[in-house]
């Protein structure tokens, strides 16, 4: 049936929430946009006047679309070149969704999105809808077509998996930013020792190049190995400038609500390094360099004034 303006307005009002759910479920902004578009096509084809609770109907349709994608994504990621990391969202991106509670902020953090790759599709759906959007178990059970008791069990299992992989302690944003700026100063000093002092003993560095740009297929593990890698990463060279198309401006900002280092060449974001900071130091670097996963970041970057870069490298 043809949608009226009222029907379209109702869907558009739900879009921000739908996009935020889809992004958390899929870890990809482009896939989230596609899922929301497919949800609209089903809304367009439905007899919407007979739908009693549009929000519940739209959420169920979207969730089922995402479940299908998550199932097929597992097979695709087995053949992915190198490490797979989520698509980062820079500060101000509306797809980040609600951030009123600690649970909502944590559910979209880059570290937790990466950890959610450990979950089964059903575990991921239940965890996201409960933890980030505070859906009651009864409603989640209806969406996923399981019993309420099963929903509660799945949620507790998913939460346990996430908790086991999380950093020991988080610190406030201002302190985290200071540590990131200290890290950048140390990384460009040409010396390894200052970097080691900023890292936890079990620090890791993971990069996702998607086969499009060079990235190590295995993570660097341990403070010394990570420090040596970071020292080399920020060391200028003609080969690096040729690879990225110029000298990169380095900025300290936030991505997915946490400290991040962004590298920009001629207005194009070429890398987003999300930094996981704890009371003990920097525990992880997760660097997204796959250009396919940085298109939205580039568009978002262009909408705000970031001032001058801290420095140029490469």
């Amino acid at each position: 049936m043809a949608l009226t303006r009222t029907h379209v307005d109702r869907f558009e009002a739900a879009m921000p929430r739908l996009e935020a759910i889809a992004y958390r479920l899929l870890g990809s902004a482009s896939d989230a946009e596609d899922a929301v578009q497919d949800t609209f096509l089903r809304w367009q084809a439905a007899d919407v006047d007979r739908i009693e609770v549009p929000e519940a109907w739209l959420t169920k349709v979207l969730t089922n679309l995402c479940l299908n994608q998550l199932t097929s994504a597992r097979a695709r990621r087995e053949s992915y070149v190198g490490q797979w990391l989520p698509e980062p969202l820079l500060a101000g991106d509306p797809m980040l969704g609600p951030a009123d509670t600690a649970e909502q902020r944590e559910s979209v953090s880059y570290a937790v999105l990466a950890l959610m790759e450990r979950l089964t599709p059903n575990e991921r759906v239940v965890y996201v809808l409960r933890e980030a959007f505070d859906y009651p178990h009864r409603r989640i059970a209806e969406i996923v077509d399981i019993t309420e008791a099963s929903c509660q069990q799945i949620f507790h299992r998913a939460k346990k998996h996430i908790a086991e992989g999380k950093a020991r302690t988080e610190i406030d944003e201002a302190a985290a930013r200071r540590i990131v700026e200290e890290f950048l100063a140390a990384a460009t000093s040409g010396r390894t020792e200052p970097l080691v002092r900023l890292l936890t003993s079990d620090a890791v560095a993971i990069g996702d190049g998607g086969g499009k740009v060079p990235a190590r297929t295995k993570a660097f593990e341990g403070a010394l190995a990570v420090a040596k890698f970071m020292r080399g990463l920020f060391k200028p060279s003609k080969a690096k400038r040729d690879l990225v198309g110029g000298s990169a401006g380095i900025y300290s900002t936030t991505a997915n609500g946490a400290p991040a280092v962004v590298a920009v060449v001629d207005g194009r974001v070429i890398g987003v390094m999300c930094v996981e900071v704890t009371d003990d130091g920097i525990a992880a670097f997760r660097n997204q360099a796959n250009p396919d996963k940085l298109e939205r970041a580039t568009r978002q970057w262009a909408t705000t004034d970031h001032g001058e870069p801290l420095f140029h490298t490469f």
Side-chain angles (χ1 to χ4, degrees), residues 197-226:
R197 288 196 294 269
L198 291 173
L199 307 178
T200 62
S201 60
D202 57 352
V204 297
I206 305 168
D208 179 349
K212 306 293 179 68
V213 298
R216 195 168 187 258
T217 56
K218 291 185 178 181
F220 290 91
E221 298 181 352
L224 184 59
V226 171

Short mmCIF file of all heavy atoms in Angstrom, two decimals, residues 197-226:
data_model
loop_
_atom_site.label_atom_id
_atom_site.label_comp_id
_atom_site.label_asym_id
_atom_site.label_seq_id
_atom_site.Cartn_x
_atom_site.Cartn_y
_atom_site.Cartn_z
N ARG A 197 56.46 2.83 29.40
CA ARG A 197 55.97 3.28 30.70
C ARG A 197 54.49 3.62 30.68
O ARG A 197 53.82 3.59 31.72
CB ARG A 197 56.78 4.49 31.18
CG ARG A 197 58.20 4.14 31.62
CD ARG A 197 58.81 5.26 32.43
NE ARG A 197 59.00 6.48 31.64
CZ ARG A 197 60.12 6.75 30.96
NH1 ARG A 197 61.13 5.89 30.96
NH2 ARG A 197 60.23 7.88 30.30
N LEU A 198 53.96 3.96 29.52
CA LEU A 198 52.55 4.34 29.41
C LEU A 198 51.63 3.13 29.21
O LEU A 198 50.40 3.27 29.30
CB LEU A 198 52.35 5.31 28.24
CG LEU A 198 52.95 6.71 28.40
CD1 LEU A 198 52.82 7.48 27.10
CD2 LEU A 198 52.25 7.46 29.53
N LEU A 199 52.20 1.97 28.93
CA LEU A 199 51.40 0.80 28.57
C LEU A 199 51.28 -0.18 29.72
O LEU A 199 52.14 -0.24 30.59
CB LEU A 199 52.05 0.07 27.37
CG LEU A 199 52.36 0.92 26.14
CD1 LEU A 199 53.04 0.06 25.08
CD2 LEU A 199 51.10 1.55 25.57
N THR A 200 50.18 -0.94 29.72
CA THR A 200 50.09 -2.06 30.65
C THR A 200 51.01 -3.17 30.16
O THR A 200 51.36 -3.22 28.97
CB THR A 200 48.65 -2.60 30.73
OG1 THR A 200 48.26 -3.09 29.43
CG2 THR A 200 47.68 -1.50 31.17
N SER A 201 51.40 -4.06 31.04
CA SER A 201 52.35 -5.11 30.66
C SER A 201 51.78 -6.03 29.58
O SER A 201 52.53 -6.59 28.78
CB SER A 201 52.75 -5.92 31.89
OG SER A 201 51.60 -6.54 32.47
N ASP A 202 50.44 -6.16 29.57
CA ASP A 202 49.81 -7.05 28.59
C ASP A 202 49.12 -6.28 27.48
O ASP A 202 48.15 -6.75 26.87
CB ASP A 202 48.81 -7.98 29.28
CG ASP A 202 47.73 -7.21 30.05
OD1 ASP A 202 47.84 -5.97 30.18
OD2 ASP A 202 46.77 -7.86 30.54
N ALA A 203 49.60 -5.08 27.18
CA ALA A 203 48.98 -4.25 26.14
C ALA A 203 49.00 -4.97 24.79
O ALA A 203 49.87 -5.80 24.51
CB ALA A 203 49.73 -2.92 26.02
N VAL A 204 48.00 -4.64 23.96
CA VAL A 204 47.92 -5.21 22.61
C VAL A 204 47.68 -4.10 21.60
O VAL A 204 47.13 -3.04 21.93
CB VAL A 204 46.79 -6.27 22.49
CG1 VAL A 204 47.05 -7.44 23.41
CG2 VAL A 204 45.43 -5.65 22.77
N ALA A 205 48.10 -4.36 20.36
CA ALA A 205 47.83 -3.44 19.25
C ALA A 205 47.31 -4.26 18.08
O ALA A 205 47.95 -5.23 17.65
CB ALA A 205 49.09 -2.68 18.84
N ILE A 206 46.13 -3.88 17.60
CA ILE A 206 45.45 -4.63 16.54
C ILE A 206 45.15 -3.67 15.40
O ILE A 206 44.70 -2.54 15.63
CB ILE A 206 44.13 -5.25 17.04
CG1 ILE A 206 44.40 -6.12 18.28
CG2 ILE A 206 43.45 -6.06 15.96
CD1 ILE A 206 43.14 -6.54 19.01
N GLY A 207 45.38 -4.09 14.18
CA GLY A 207 45.10 -3.25 13.03
C GLY A 207 44.24 -3.95 12.00
O GLY A 207 44.38 -5.15 11.77
N ASP A 208 43.32 -3.22 11.39
CA ASP A 208 42.44 -3.75 10.35
C ASP A 208 42.69 -2.96 9.07
O ASP A 208 42.33 -1.79 8.96
CB ASP A 208 40.98 -3.59 10.79
CG ASP A 208 39.98 -4.09 9.75
OD1 ASP A 208 40.38 -4.37 8.59
OD2 ASP A 208 38.78 -4.20 10.08
N GLY A 209 43.35 -3.62 8.11
CA GLY A 209 43.58 -3.00 6.81
C GLY A 209 42.68 -3.55 5.74
O GLY A 209 42.62 -3.03 4.63
N GLY A 210 41.98 -4.65 6.06
CA GLY A 210 41.04 -5.24 5.12
C GLY A 210 41.65 -5.70 3.81
O GLY A 210 40.94 -5.88 2.82
N GLY A 211 42.98 -5.86 3.79
CA GLY A 211 43.64 -6.23 2.55
C GLY A 211 43.82 -5.05 1.61
O GLY A 211 44.39 -5.21 0.52
N LYS A 212 43.37 -3.87 2.04
CA LYS A 212 43.47 -2.67 1.18
C LYS A 212 44.73 -1.87 1.50
O LYS A 212 45.29 -1.21 0.64
CB LYS A 212 42.25 -1.77 1.39
CG LYS A 212 40.90 -2.47 1.20
CD LYS A 212 40.70 -2.87 -0.25
CE LYS A 212 39.37 -3.58 -0.47
NZ LYS A 212 38.21 -2.69 -0.27
N VAL A 213 45.14 -1.87 2.78
CA VAL A 213 46.38 -1.20 3.20
C VAL A 213 47.14 -2.18 4.10
O VAL A 213 46.53 -3.07 4.70
CB VAL A 213 46.08 0.12 3.96
CG1 VAL A 213 45.35 1.10 3.07
CG2 VAL A 213 45.28 -0.14 5.23
N PRO A 214 48.46 -2.02 4.20
CA PRO A 214 49.24 -2.96 5.01
C PRO A 214 48.79 -2.95 6.47
O PRO A 214 48.60 -1.91 7.08
CB PRO A 214 50.68 -2.42 4.87
CG PRO A 214 50.68 -1.64 3.60
CD PRO A 214 49.31 -1.03 3.50
N ALA A 215 48.62 -4.13 7.02
CA ALA A 215 48.30 -4.30 8.44
C ALA A 215 48.70 -5.71 8.83
O ALA A 215 48.46 -6.66 8.09
CB ALA A 215 46.82 -4.07 8.71
N ARG A 216 49.30 -5.83 9.99
CA ARG A 216 49.77 -7.14 10.46
C ARG A 216 48.59 -8.06 10.72
O ARG A 216 47.58 -7.64 11.29
CB ARG A 216 50.58 -6.95 11.74
CG ARG A 216 51.43 -8.16 12.14
CD ARG A 216 52.39 -7.73 13.25
NE ARG A 216 53.35 -8.77 13.59
CZ ARG A 216 53.26 -9.56 14.65
NH1 ARG A 216 52.23 -9.42 15.48
NH2 ARG A 216 54.18 -10.45 14.92
N THR A 217 48.71 -9.31 10.29
CA THR A 217 47.60 -10.25 10.45
C THR A 217 47.41 -10.70 11.89
O THR A 217 46.33 -11.16 12.25
CB THR A 217 47.81 -11.49 9.56
OG1 THR A 217 49.07 -12.08 9.87
CG2 THR A 217 47.77 -11.11 8.09
N LYS A 218 48.46 -10.56 12.70
CA LYS A 218 48.35 -10.92 14.12
C LYS A 218 48.58 -9.68 14.98
O LYS A 218 49.30 -8.76 14.59
CB LYS A 218 49.38 -12.00 14.49
CG LYS A 218 49.10 -13.36 13.85
CD LYS A 218 50.08 -14.40 14.36
CE LYS A 218 49.77 -15.78 13.76
NZ LYS A 218 50.70 -16.82 14.25
N ALA A 219 47.97 -9.68 16.15
CA ALA A 219 48.12 -8.55 17.05
C ALA A 219 49.53 -8.52 17.64
O ALA A 219 50.16 -9.57 17.83
CB ALA A 219 47.10 -8.65 18.18
N PHE A 220 50.02 -7.32 17.94
CA PHE A 220 51.22 -7.17 18.74
C PHE A 220 50.81 -7.33 20.20
O PHE A 220 49.82 -6.74 20.64
CB PHE A 220 51.86 -5.79 18.53
CG PHE A 220 52.47 -5.61 17.16
CD1 PHE A 220 51.72 -5.09 16.12
CD2 PHE A 220 53.79 -5.97 16.93
CE1 PHE A 220 52.27 -4.91 14.86
CE2 PHE A 220 54.35 -5.80 15.66
CZ PHE A 220 53.59 -5.27 14.63
N GLU A 221 51.58 -8.08 20.96
CA GLU A 221 51.22 -8.35 22.35
C GLU A 221 52.39 -8.06 23.27
O GLU A 221 53.54 -8.41 22.96
CB GLU A 221 50.77 -9.81 22.51
CG GLU A 221 49.54 -10.16 21.69
CD GLU A 221 49.12 -11.60 21.87
OE1 GLU A 221 49.88 -12.37 22.51
OE2 GLU A 221 48.04 -11.98 21.39
N GLY A 222 52.09 -7.41 24.41
CA GLY A 222 53.12 -7.07 25.37
C GLY A 222 53.62 -5.65 25.18
O GLY A 222 53.68 -5.14 24.06
N ALA A 223 53.95 -5.00 26.30
CA ALA A 223 54.30 -3.59 26.26
C ALA A 223 55.47 -3.29 25.32
O ALA A 223 55.43 -2.32 24.55
CB ALA A 223 54.62 -3.10 27.68
N LEU A 224 56.51 -4.09 25.37
CA LEU A 224 57.69 -3.80 24.56
C LEU A 224 57.39 -3.95 23.07
O LEU A 224 57.78 -3.09 22.26
CB LEU A 224 58.85 -4.72 24.96
CG LEU A 224 60.18 -4.47 24.24
CD1 LEU A 224 60.66 -3.04 24.48
CD2 LEU A 224 61.24 -5.47 24.71
N ALA A 225 56.71 -5.02 22.69
CA ALA A 225 56.38 -5.23 21.28
C ALA A 225 55.48 -4.12 20.76
O ALA A 225 55.67 -3.62 19.64
CB ALA A 225 55.71 -6.60 21.10
N VAL A 226 54.50 -3.73 21.56
CA VAL A 226 53.58 -2.66 21.15
C VAL A 226 54.33 -1.33 21.04
O VAL A 226 54.13 -0.56 20.08
CB VAL A 226 52.40 -2.54 22.13
CG1 VAL A 226 51.56 -1.30 21.82
CG2 VAL A 226 51.53 -3.80 22.06
#
